Every structure is written in C-alpha cells, then in structure tokens.
Amino acid sequence: MNAAEYTRNDVPDEIVIRDLGVTFQDNKGEDVQAITGVNLNIKKGEFVSLLGPSGCGKTTLLRCVADLQEPTDGDIHVEGMTPKEVRLQHKFGFVFQSPVLFDWRTVKKNVELPLEMMYQTKQQRSERADEMLEMVGLTNFANHFPNQLSGGMQQRVNIARALGIRPDILLMDEPFSALDEFTKEKLHEDLLRIWRKTNKTILFVTHNIQEAVFLSDRVCVLSPHPGRLSAVVDIDLPRPRTLDMKETPAFNQLVLKVRNSFEGGSFS
Amino acid sequence: MRKKHLALTEKKWFQILFWAVLVIAAWEIGATAVAMTKRTPENILPHLYQILAAAFSGKAVSGGMTASGVVLTSAGATLLRALGGFAIGAGLGFLLALAMKLSGLVEKLIFPYLMLIQLIPVLGLAPIILAITGDINRSRLVIAAILSFYPVAANTLAGFKAVSKDKYDLMFTYAAKKRQLYTKVLIPSAIPYLFTGLKIAAPMAITASILVDTLQGDGGLGCMLSQSLKHAMSIYVFWLIVFFSAFIGIFSTYLISWIEILVYPEKRSAAGIGRSAGKEKKYGRSTEKNRTQKEPGPETL
Ligand SMILES: Nc1ncnc2c1ncn2[C@@H]1O[C@H](COP(=O)(O)OP(=O)(O)OP(=O)(O)O)[C@@H](O)[C@H]1O
Ligand SMILES: [Mg+2]
C-alpha cells in the first residue's frame, strides 16, 4: 500500500510530507541517504507511529517535521505552513528520547520553561504547570528537583512540559524506550487518555512493534539503507484501548501483520 | 538510607581527624628533631604549642602591638585588595567566557593565548606592574585580578560548552530567542563550572596579594612576613602568618562553596534526597499494584 494514497474521509490533513529525502555527509565526505522518497499524510487528531529498526531514519523524519532538520529533497507542510512557521507559533511539542530536564529548576519550573518563552504571566504559567502536573500525576512532586525523580517520572515531566504549550502536534521520539515494562504500560495508558482528552495529532517514533500497534491509528513501517517508508498498516482496534487488548487474537494478528510487512519478513 | 547517610558523615569526620593527627604528629616529630640538632629551632620548625603561645601572648613585638595584633592589622590591607582583585578578575573572566561563547572569532583569537597568562611567573610580573601602576594597592588588585581571571574564564567557558545538543534542540523547538537561550539555559548551566573556577581563583588571589606585599615595606601580610624572616620582629609573626594565610585560603574556598549552595537551588536539594527516596518508593508500590490486575506477558522483540 502506498502511503500517499491513504485517505481517511472528512478529516483534513494536518501534516503533508512529499518526496522527503535527507542526505548526510559522513566523515569521509561521502553522501549517506538517511531517508528518501517519503510520502505521508497525517490527519488532524490522528495517532501515527513511525516504526523501524535502528538507523532507518525515524528520528531524521521526525526532526524534519519539527524544523530541527533541513530536508535535502521534497517538502513538508503542516496546516498549510512550513515547519518553521509552525514552530515559531509554538504549535509543536517535542518529546525527546531523554527527558532533557534542567536540574537547577524544580519539576514545576521545568514545565513552566516553554511558557516563559511565550511571555505568559507568572500566574498563567503557574496555573498551567499545575494543571499539566496533575494530568501526569506528579502534583506531589512539583517542588522536587529532577534528580530526585525516577526515570519514568522524569519522562512524565518531559511529556507534561511538551503538552503545557497546548501544541497542535505532539512529536515523540522513542519517549518510553528507556523505561521498564511496568512504567511503560502505565505511560501508554496515560498518553492515550491525554490524547483522547486533548485531540492532538501525535507522531510517535518507536522500534517496538507492540507499542506501535497498541497506541496507533496507523503504523508506518520504515526500512533502512536507505531509509524509506515500506508499508503503512491500519490499526482498527477499538478505542479506548485497554491493556487486556494485548491478549486478544486481533491484536496479535496486527502485530504479526506489521512484523511481516518488514522487507524480508523479519525484524529484530 | 538514613544509616548509610550517617556512616558517610562519620567517615568524613574520620578522614579529617586522620589527616589532622597525621600532620600534627609529623610536625611535632620534625620539631623535636630540629630542636635537638639546630641552634635556633624556632626559625626552622618550632613546636605547635610555641606558635599557639605566641598567638595568645600579650607581649608586644612591634610598635606596641602583639604578634596576633600585627597579623590581623596587616591582613586587612592585603585581604581587601585580594578580594577586590578577585572580584574584578572573576567578573572579567566570566564576561570573556561569555564573549568567547557568543563569538567563535573571539574564542579563536583569545582562548589559545589565554593560558599564557598562567605561565607568566607572578613574582616576575609583580615589579613591572608595580612600576606601571606606581602604587602597591593598585598592584595588589591587578595581580590578584590577573590570577583570578584565567581559572574563572576557562571553567565558565567549559560550562557553556558542556550544554548538550538536546538542550539547544529543546529551546529551538520552543522558538527561544538567543537572549532566552543564554539567560535560561547557558548561564545557569555554567554556574557550577563558574564556582569551580572561583574556588580555584580565591586562594590564588590571596597568595598573589601576599606576594605583592613583599615588594614594598608598606605593611600587609607579605611585608610582615619578610620583616619577620629578616628578624626585624619576632619569628613567630612569620609562623602565625603562615597558619593564618593557610586558614584564609581554605576558608575562602569553603565560603564560595557555601555561596554556591545559596545561589544554586539544585545543590540545596542534595540534602533532601533522603526524603524524596521515600516518596519514590511509594510511587513504585502504587504502580505495582496497578500492574497485578493484569497479566504481564510483555512480548519483546
Ligand atoms: N547528523 C548526522 N550526520 C550524519 N549522519 C547522520 C546524522 N544523523 C543521522 N545520520 C544517519 O542517518 C541515518 C538515520 O539516522 P536516524 O537517527 O534518523 O535513525 P533512527 O531510525 O532514529 O535510529 P534509532 O532507532 O537508532 O534512533 C543513520 O544511518 C545515521 O547514521
Ligand atoms: Mg532515533
């Protein structure tokens, strides 16, 4: 199935990626194609995963959408604007793989940081930060410092901070890959609950098939050398999703389908 | 956790005690040996109790002042200039680090040559500075500033450079202005490095100021030091100054650590780690409770 052909009626496209290619130079000066010929339309309010083995260009693709990386070929439009215009309007929330917290700021002040960049008043910031911390269940830790939190809690602060600016689009780069299974599953549920409540568009990078299937409306499978979009799998599991769905045959069939869509049929 | 914390403190006290006993023992063995073999042992290595006695004796040694009186009055002139030079040098060092961070050109032009300042022997430089400034107090300031400058500039720059790419990316995503990047990320990140530089610079500024004193007979710790060595007054003034300077040097470093705790909130929180560990445990329990209702069975790749 071609990604560009994918349509989901009546909802407008939020992100349109056309013939996207990124070429890096390695240290010998030779060209390395990180990604090539990627076409993808993402609907408003959709949860889309980018799945693939290490080095297939998932991060590069996400960074292009966020305006952190200049594409070599093709273009990206977000709500009809360039990524730069969208970024300057604070419409992106980017959740990095590591929490990237500032250790001299309390948890609450970390969440307030992007709001400071938006010139919100002290009171606005404080109220918003409290709201976000409540959403991720960290109200009692507002005045702690990041080094006093566990990895999972730090990652929740990271998410709270990204959501605080009310972004239209949430870009997440393997946000849970460093976490244990228990924390991860808890955060999956949290993320889906927040997503349902706020109706954001989420582009979620992962290399975990179960994670991608459980969370997404669609899973985009990327293949390496050069990185390209090799398949898009619709996940028609009902919502809201619950952890026990992972035991159902429908879920396992989709996992199998995604796994088989990797070129050569294997992915490890 | 609590027990571990206590054990750690005990260990630290033990270390301090260990070194104190070792140093005192070595000193006294040396002093005893010197007392048996030399004619004027107090010039080489007096007993510690002799130095203590000199510190608290009411006997005038110079111009009607006791030994301690001489030390304390001359310390004022020296330390005040050391402090002034330290403040000027540290301030300029910080600003230069900032300028080097802001402009790659400034860094390329200045940084490789900055360490040359470190290589110039202060003693050689001091008479030249004195000749230029024509004033002992100004010379103290200038020399102390020159010596404070480098450690502060180099450490602060290292602090700016230690900021990870992630943090830049994060600020870029939030469309931060350059000024915001500096005030909210780079400068706060560099503060612990700045303090490392300050801790190195403070004792150096004091040493520099004492050295400059010796150039002129106008008072100051260094001046008294050399007069005492030349037997113009009691030799115990010399020993008192040695101990006093060592104490001030160590104290200056501790003082800066203490100021650092005041200005850098994360350091303050270090004391609260024990408390938060308890809470984290509670968090762990609650998630486990959530989990037990479901089969784990995570299918990993
Ligand atoms: N700044 C860069 N300079 C040169 N090559 C790069 C750069 N960034 C990425 N690459 C190359 O581009 C390719 C894709 O990298 P990318 O980080 O997008 O992969 P990824 O799918 O996110 O992998 P992972 O799952 O390990 O994070 C890799 O081959 C990598 O070596
Ligand atoms: Mg990546």
Side-chain angles (χ1 to χ4, degrees):
Chain A
M1 178 166 49
N2 187 330
E5 282 162 19
Y6 183 89
T7 48
R8 196 205 226 187
N9 10 346
D10 52 282
V11 192
D13 282 334
E14 173 104 322
I15 304 172
V16 179
I17 301 170
R18 284 278 154 268
D19 298 319
L20 192 78
V22 176
T23 307
F24 291 111
Q25 313 246 292
D26 67 11
N27 39 22
K28 288 181 212 120
E30 279 166 40
D31 286 355
V32 179
Q33 272 191 331
I35 43 174
T36 179
V38 173
N39 284 292
L40 182 64
N41 289 10
I42 296 168
K43 301 279 173 193
K44 195 161 176 54
E46 204 179 3
F47 196 128
V48 174
S49 289
L50 301 174
L51 178 73
S54 185
C56 68
K58 306 180 293 292
T59 299
T60 308
L61 180 51
L62 201 67
R63 289 174 63 88
C64 284
V65 176
D67 191 37
L68 285 164
Q69 171 72 49
E70 191 83 27
T72 331
D73 300 300
D75 48 46
I76 296 179
H77 287 282
V78 181
E79 297 176 356
M81 294 179 280
T82 64
K84 184 176 177 184
E85 287 165 333
V86 179
R87 175 176 64 83
L88 293 178
Q89 291 176 17
H90 300 101
K91 286 190 176 173
F92 288 130
F94 202 111
V95 179
F96 294 87
Q97 185 165 354
S98 61
V100 202
L101 300 177
F102 298 94
D103 52 8
W104 60 89
R105 282 173 171 251
T106 60
V107 164
K108 185 171 172 182
K109 290 282 172 199
N110 265 287
V111 176
E112 286 184 21
L113 177 75
L115 306 174
E116 290 170 21
M117 246 75 79
M118 296 167 80
Y119 302 104
Q120 293 195 358
T121 65
K122 207 170 169 174
Q123 199 196 341
Q124 283 173 317
R125 295 198 309 253
S126 172
E127 282 170 8
R128 184 69 183 157
D130 286 339
E131 207 180 312
M132 289 301 104
L133 287 175
E134 198 187 327
M135 185 152 75
V136 298
L138 286 176
T139 304
N140 291 338
F141 295 88
N143 295 319
H144 282 59
F145 286 91
N147 59 5
Q148 298 173 310
L149 304 184
S150 73
M153 295 159 94
Q154 291 181 8
Q155 200 54 281
R156 282 193 275 164
V157 179
N158 189 8
I159 294 168
R161 179 178 57 191
L163 290 167
I165 61 170
R166 295 189 173 85
D168 291 351
I169 299 150
L170 198 55
L171 305 167
M172 308 179 88
D173 191 358
E174 302 189 28
F176 308 136
S177 65
L179 304 179
D180 64 276
E181 252 355 273
F182 304 112
T183 314
K184 198 188 284 191
E185 289 188 349
K186 166 120 182 31
L187 290 181
H188 283 164
E189 286 184 312
D190 289 346
L191 179 62
L192 287 180
R193 179 173 47 81
I194 292 163
W195 173 63
R196 236 185 2 257
K197 216 165 95 183
T198 56
N199 192 37
K200 297 194 188 312
T201 310
I202 299 185
L203 195 51
F204 187 96
V205 166
T206 177
H207 51 230
N208 183 310
I209 300 178
Q210 277 79 15
E211 183 173 68
V213 171
F214 180 68
L215 295 173
S216 317
D217 293 322
R218 273 193 297 159
V219 175
C220 299
V221 177
L222 281 88
S223 304
H225 313 299
R228 64 204 179 282
L229 196 57
S230 56
V232 178
V233 180
D234 283 297
I235 307 298
D236 43 16
L237 294 172
R239 298 221 184 243
R241 304 223 172 125
T242 51
L243 285 177
D244 38 350
M245 276 186 193
K246 291 191 179 180
E247 313 304 326
T248 63
F251 181 84
N252 288 318
Q253 259 162 25
L254 283 165
V255 168
L256 209 64
K257 187 175 172 190
V258 171
R259 177 164 297 169
N260 289 336
S261 69
F262 282 94
E263 278 164 19
S266 70
F267 166 41
S268 54
Chain B
M1 186 74 203
R2 205 182 138 74
K3 219 174 156 189
K4 210 165 154 189
H5 191 69
L6 269 175
L8 208 78
T9 340
E10 275 168 13
K11 217 170 151 194
K12 191 169 177 186
W13 278 110
F14 176 76
Q15 282 173 0
I16 293 172
L17 197 71
F18 172 79
W19 282 109
V21 168
L22 201 76
V23 168
I24 291 172
W27 183 292
E28 283 301 316
I29 291 167
T32 310
V34 166
M36 286 189 297
T37 52
K38 305 287 181 203
R39 259 193 303 147
T40 51
E42 67 271 21
N43 288 0
I44 299 160
L45 201 64
H47 283 290
L48 287 169
Y49 67 81
Q50 291 175 305
I51 299 170
L52 270 177
F56 293 107
S57 98
K59 212 176 85 193
V61 292
S62 160
M65 275 196 290
T66 63
S68 296
V70 168
V71 173
L72 290 179
T73 41
S74 53
T78 305
L79 293 180
L80 222 61
R81 293 331 181 289
L83 182 69
F86 171 73
I88 294 167
L92 289 176
F94 180 81
L95 289 178
L96 183 75
L98 198 62
M100 286 193 289
K101 174 66 193 164
L102 277 164
S103 152
L105 184 71
V106 174
E107 191 194 340
K108 274 202 201 85
L109 276 178
I110 293 180
F111 193 67
Y113 307 101
L114 204 60
M115 58 173 291
L116 290 180
I117 295 177
Q118 280 297 85
L119 300 177
I120 302 168
V122 188
L123 264 183
L125 200 63
I128 301 168
I129 302 273
L130 182 59
I132 296 170
T133 59
D135 174 62
I136 189 81
N137 280 335
R138 251 177 278 156
S139 305
R140 283 184 187 124
L141 274 177
V142 171
I143 301 272
I146 289 175
L147 278 176
S148 308
F149 176 78
Y150 179 78
V152 172
N155 277 287
T156 308
L157 185 64
F160 287 142
K161 288 187 165 178
V163 175
S164 67
K165 190 175 159 290
D166 281 356
K167 300 220 160 98
Y168 287 94
D169 283 350
L170 185 83
M171 295 303 278
F172 185 77
T173 312
Y174 296 132
K177 306 261 185 309
K178 195 168 188 176
R179 184 181 51 77
Q180 292 170 323
L181 179 68
Y182 273 82
T183 55
K184 293 185 195 298
V185 179
L186 289 169
I187 292 173
S189 299
I191 281 178
Y193 290 78
L194 167 69
F195 272 96
T196 304
L198 293 178
K199 279 179 228 167
I200 299 168
M204 284 171 77
I206 294 167
T207 309
S209 199
I210 293 173
L211 278 176
V212 173
D213 287 342
T214 60
L215 295 176
Q216 231 174 33
D218 279 2
L221 280 179
C223 175
M224 294 303 141
L225 197 80
S226 56
Q227 282 188 22
S228 167
L229 274 178
K230 289 176 203 148
H231 306 292
M233 64 177 85
S234 161
I235 187 67
Y236 287 107
V237 171
F238 166 81
W239 289 109
L240 283 181
I241 291 174
V242 168
F243 275 88
F244 182 76
S245 320
F247 169 76
I248 291 292
I250 294 168
F251 174 74
S252 67
T253 300
Y254 274 98
L255 185 69
I256 289 166
S257 304
W258 182 71
I259 295 171
E260 183 179 10
I261 289 168
L262 283 185
V263 301
Y264 203 70
E266 196 248 331
K267 294 256 171 186
R268 233 180 303 160
S269 80
I273 282 172
R275 245 181 305 131
S276 76
K279 279 179 194 163
E280 247 174 74
K281 230 184 241 162
K282 210 162 81 200
Y283 162 70
R285 269 204 297 277
S286 72
T287 45
E288 263 164 45
K289 212 162 68 197
N290 287 346
R291 276 287 317 155
T292 46
Q293 298 153 358
K294 282 131 199 162
E295 277 268 274
E299 195 191 333
T300 39
L301 287 167

